[in-house]
Amino acid sequence: MKKQILKIIKRILLVLTVAAEAVFLSAFPAFALSIPSPSSVAAELERRYHLNLESIQNQGENFNVSDQKKNVPEVMLFFNPADPRPGEKITAEALPQYFNIAKEQLYYTWYLRHSGCGPTDSPSSETKKKCDADGNGKITVNDWKVEAMRYITNNGYDTTRADYSSDDDKDGYLARWGGANKNEEEQEDETAYCYIHDFVSGINYELAETSNTSFTCPSGTVAKCVKTETLNCDDGAGNYIEYKTCNDTETAMTCDPSTQIPVCSSGDPLCIDTDNLEGECNDMPDPNLDACSSFGFETPTCSTGESSSVSNKCYDLLPHHLFPDYKGDLNDEKVGDNDFKEEEEEFWWTNPHDPDTADNGNRDEANAVGVGQFTFTWNYDDRDKVGVLVEGTSMIPAKHDDSSFMIMWAMPKNDCSIPDSSKSYYYESIKGYNVKIPAFDHDDYEDFFNDCLEDNLVDPKEGLQPKKLDVSLSYSPENPINDSSGDEMGDVVNTQATIANADQESQQLLYTWKIAISKTGFPSSNPADWQTICEGGDEEECILKTTPLKGINIPSLKFKLDLTDDNVFSGDGYGYLKVSVVVNENYPSSKESLDENTTREGRSDVIIKVFTTDQKIRAFSPVDTNFSATGGPLILNEGNEICTSREEAAVCYVLKNEIIGLKVDKENLKNFSWTINGQTLFCDSTNISEKNCLASEQQEINFFPATGDPGDKYTIDVTANDVETGQTIHLTRVFQVIDPFVKIISTNEQFCWPKYLGMYIDLDGNQFPDSSESVFQTLTGNEVGLEAEFHPAWLKNYIGKGVKTEWTIDGALFSDLTNSAGLNLTAEKEAGDVYNIGLNTLYKTSNDIRKALNKIWNISQFESTEKYMPVSLQVEVALSSEEEALTLKNSGKFLAGLLSHLPTQIMFLLRIILTIAIILITTGVVFAFIPETYRPKETSYEKS
């Protein structure tokens, strides 16, 4: 800038030197042979100084307009990331130019407009909740300012734990005009002049009230800038005649103090009667006359000079800069007045007992006015727009007789047009001359600039800080689904924290996680609009299934979306969760004091849009097929649905080498994509199902064979588009292969109950009864009801089809109980006797299914054989209360009752052993009574 000024001075001196010599040559003709002509003087100067007059002329022309081509303050915005996802943290960085002070000393007033938060004086209650940041019942630009600047002042501080009954942190800040480069203890700046640049004309207009200049007109007339215009008008007979009209140009009138004559930037100054001003066709006395003078209008006189004052100080025209208003009102609680008490602390969501709530080195009120805040970070929401207004001292000197430079504002798009009606100028006596100063005279400067701010909104899609950790959060899946059906089949959300500037490894960092749910149904920036449902260190039970919420080395948090409270979701079937994390790092403050640990922390949050649905993947087995007849494909039989209970919703248990049919209700869904354990699962209409599948694309139905061993799992995923909401729906279901088995249970434990075995004690000393699963008890005369409990449970639905059952009592087959799920009998035995109950179950896959397995998936017929599931149970006829007293006296009967509990196989072996023993004993007794002479004699070789 200094080099440019020196160049201009040199050029001026050169021109003056040339002019002086020209004057000298013309003033003293005695020293010349003849009086030279101007052209000869110019030619001599051009020859002597090697000056090209055209170049000098060009420099002069540039000099004449140089004042309109100065570099005025500007600002550019950069975003990271450039393509943010909704809920993700995004940072806008302002790059200011052509200010006379450092960017850390400028005032940055950020403003953020969410979708649906346009200006209105009568917003709906829903819009108020979302957009009315200052709480005055209207939506204005001030709400956008407050919304953005709260992000800076709050920086994630939890206001629900703040005590706003007192304020003791002394965090006020006095904002001086032009930036934070001045001592805030100085008196109000008397040399602060504010300007706005007209990018069309290049003129810098000073904010000033010039209405004190007086204009004199005859009684009944007023001073106006007017001009005559010609119109083609209908004379009433269908003929168009030219008529002249006198129109108000609506431009400001000023007074030239040197001539005391009014001047108009457009039109002529006249004293007119406003009743005779016509903008439409008017029958003039003489069509050839000037319409504005034909009525005899006079030219007004004006008066200016020392007696006429001009209001042009920044603090008179904009008492509180262009900072956000406290509660949307111009009151005594102005931001930047060095008075930041409890009410403002609560309004700005700051800590009344911490002078630097945001931990960025500024006092709280300094953050509210944006001192040095050239970056702005917030949780991006779809269609957010952001802007910034940068205030500071420019590089352009003001024309006033003092040390002042123009105080100006920069906006991202430089879109702020000055209306012609507000363009004016006034004269000020400077160094003995009447200097003309262009002025911007407006009724309400704040309203004017606020209107400009709306035009300068930017769409974001068009550092190591020693005091805090730089924490960022990401999450997956991108569009998580909540299961509101109660089946607990919602997505598992994985939230990952990343620290960019940690000095230590993750194993040494302390993580404290918190999950909150929006109480309003939209992603609000107000902490009060979020209800905490899970928090690390909180004793209250979390309503979600999560991994640990607090501890060292837990940089990720997983939780399952099984919320059933409909109040947290909007009518469109979605809601918002905010996942927050606070990361603490402990480290020695210095090498000299390793025993004195200090802590720094960082925090971040991410807002997750959650879709809720009761849709799920339905499972079917067995499927239908006609392979035996035609070798045809599979057909989904919706009458064979399995795993329909809540207990089977999370994991559906299936049998090895069974074909499982899958289906999702197609209502409002299209564009299906199936995977099994991450691999594509495609339903081929040619080989698998001509009826349920297509060759060109996947549909809502699919099939897969459970070929794994017991314990193996299959994760089935399906993705589809919802045609109504436009959202992508992602559903998951898990299947696990198990060995089938059957248990016998009592249908009424009042008449038949598990036998009590004793008590067992857990590690905490709590006692619990222990009952047998293989021995039940009843009383003589009771009606005993027994039932087969199948695992998996859906096998019960196929008794008599693929499942066959046979019941036995004391080894005898009951033919009338074949293919029955239950058994009923009357206990007719005496106390101490036992019923031995047996249940033989066979599950056999149909030959059609076995052929399908072999043809489609190459599974051998020897791997799809039947499954045999035997089970037995003993029902003891117990003693009644009266009979228990005789138990000790009747020990034989007690022993008989004890022996009767042995299984039939053991009883059979025991009988064999007893029979052999009786034979041996009997033989011994017989030989004892036979005389020796009749015994066989020993032979000679036996003796030897």
Side-chain angles (χ1 to χ4, degrees), residues 657 850 853-855 857-865:
N657 293 327
R850 297 175 68 189
L853 287 168
N854 180 260
K855 182 177 180 180
W857 292 287
N858 296 320
I859 297 175
S860 171
Q861 60 178 342
F862 301 108
E863 298 181 23
S864 57
T865 57

Side-chain angles (χ1 to χ4, degrees), residues 1 70-78 93-104 106-108 197 199 374 388-396 406-414:
M1 183 64 186
K70 294 179 180 178
N71 292 325
V72 296
E74 298 179 0
V75 62
M76 293 185 292
L77 288 183
F78 300 92
E93 181 177 359
L95 180 60
Q97 301 181 82
Y98 308 124
F99 283 98
N100 202 22
I101 57 178
K103 66 177 182 179
E104 292 79 9
L106 298 170
Y107 298 134
Y108 299 82
H197 182 75
F199 283 91
F374 51 85
V388 66
L389 185 69
V390 185
E391 177 192 323
T393 303
S394 72
M395 304 171 66
I396 306 173
M406 294 184 181
I407 295 172
M408 305 185 76
W409 291 270
M411 305 177 197
K413 296 182 179 179
N414 297 326

Side-chain angles (χ1 to χ4, degrees), residues 544-565:
L544 292 172
K545 294 180 180 179
T546 71
T547 53
L549 290 160
K550 184 175 183 179
I552 294 175
N553 192 26
I554 51 171
S556 64
L557 176 69
K558 294 182 180 180
F559 56 91
K560 203 165 183 300
L561 289 175
D562 294 321
L563 295 168
T564 58
D565 186 1

Side-chain angles (χ1 to χ4, degrees), residues 88 143 155 328 404 922:
E88 186 178 11
D143 292 298
N155 193 29
S404 62
T922 304

Side-chain angles (χ1 to χ4, degrees), residues 207-253:
L207 273 62
E209 292 181 355
T210 62
S211 57
N212 290 328
T213 301
S214 60
F215 298 92
T216 304
C217 282
S219 177
T221 61
V222 294
K224 288 282 186 178
C225 292
V226 295
K227 66 178 180 179
T228 296
E229 291 184 351
T230 302
L231 298 178
N232 288 323
C233 300
D234 188 351
D235 63 357
N239 301 317
Y240 284 89
I241 303 174
E242 288 189 351
Y243 287 97
K244 293 184 178 180
T245 63
C246 185
N247 296 317
D248 187 353
T249 63
E250 297 183 354
T251 56
M253 185 183 300

Side-chain angles (χ1 to χ4, degrees), residues 739-752:
D739 274 329
F741 64 94
V742 180
K743 291 173 58 178
I744 299 177
I745 61 173
S746 174
T747 59
N748 191 337
E749 293 191 358
Q750 182 179 356
F751 299 104
C752 184

Side-chain angles (χ1 to χ4, degrees), residues 466 504 584-590 593-601:
Q504 300 173 348
N584 293 92
E585 179 182 37
N586 296 318
Y587 60 95
S589 59
S590 65
S593 56
L594 295 177
D595 56 336
E596 297 180 3
N597 288 346
T598 58
T599 301
R600 65 171 178 164
E601 73 174 28

